[in-house]
Amino acid sequence: MKIVVIGGTGLIGSKVVANLGKAGHEAVAASPNTGVNTLTGEGLAEVLTGAQVVIDLSNSPSFERNAVMEFFETSNRNLLAAEEVAGVGHHVALSVVGTERMPDNDYFRAKIAQEQLIEKSSVPFSILHATQFFEFVRRIADEATNGTTVRIAPVRFQPMAGDDVALAVGRVAVGAPLNGRVEIGGPEQFQMDEFFRDALAAWGDPREVVADPQALYYGSVPGERTLVPGDGATLGTIRYRDWLDQNATGK
């Protein structure tokens, strides 16, 4: 089947396109680099012609409150309207575990707005809520750094490998629409400050990790279970230590 992957040249998108192609599907990577822009609508009608499934893995280039909301609302209105015209039968979107549990977080609030637009559309849909990616762990530590100290909330944390995310997205995409949500996460759960303390040690990073109950996670204080999936989540198989051994750039 023809499956259009919005954001198909990015970290997860490129993996999804490769996996679907190996499985025999016509997987089309769509992004501004390929002439498809969901913010302006450029190229949408053309790329969606004949598509049975659309996977939206696009992300806002800015996490600033107004910019991130504008991105997800505008791009999703354009994309869903084009899908309705093209007769797409399944819209798959990747979101974040905990969006509904951090309403004061600007990024999470924008993702909720995206999900609401998907639910209101006439296109059958599936939404995957994923935990944080191993590939972004270093960025999370940098965001939490003040001088030589990394302040991390002592809450639960269950990150996953991008390869596991891509596999889960692909499986959902070729199945029947859920018209609902599913959660995916890593195979191991940690206390977040302990995870980062061990991770920095593995990187040979001299920064000190301090457990701080008021530490911000991208602008908001997470609760004990904000960032972990609930019972029944689909779990990946790749453990962080094994991933780190195979990805020197993660150090």
Side-chain angles (χ1 to χ4, degrees), residues 25-60:
H25 299 286
E26 180 188 355
V28 180
S31 71
N33 293 336
T34 68
V36 179
N37 191 320
T38 55
L39 270 178
T40 65
E42 176 188 3
L44 280 177
E46 293 79 8
V47 78
L48 293 184
T49 299
Q52 287 83 40
V53 180
V54 170
I55 302 172
D56 184 10
L57 303 175
S58 61
N59 203 4
S60 174

Side-chain angles (χ1 to χ4, degrees), residues 68-81:
V68 70
M69 184 64 76
E70 172 68 15
F71 175 85
F72 282 117
E73 288 190 332
T74 301
S75 62
N76 276 272
R77 286 193 181 101
N78 289 338
L79 180 57
L80 291 165

Side-chain angles (χ1 to χ4, degrees), residues 101-102 104-105 153 155 212-223 226:
R101 297 193 288 269
M102 287 182 74
D104 57 337
N105 182 288
V155 298
D212 181 354
Q214 297 305 310
L216 299 179
Y217 178 79
Y218 288 98
S220 300
V221 178
T226 298

Side-chain angles (χ1 to χ4, degrees), residues 15 33 86 150 153 185 220 228 237:
K15 297 176 186 293
N33 293 336
V150 185
S220 300
V228 297
T237 61

Side-chain angles (χ1 to χ4, degrees), residues 158-174:
Q158 196 167 335
M160 65 188 302
D163 285 338
D164 278 340
V165 178
L167 286 173
V169 169
R171 283 195 297 265
V172 169
V174 299

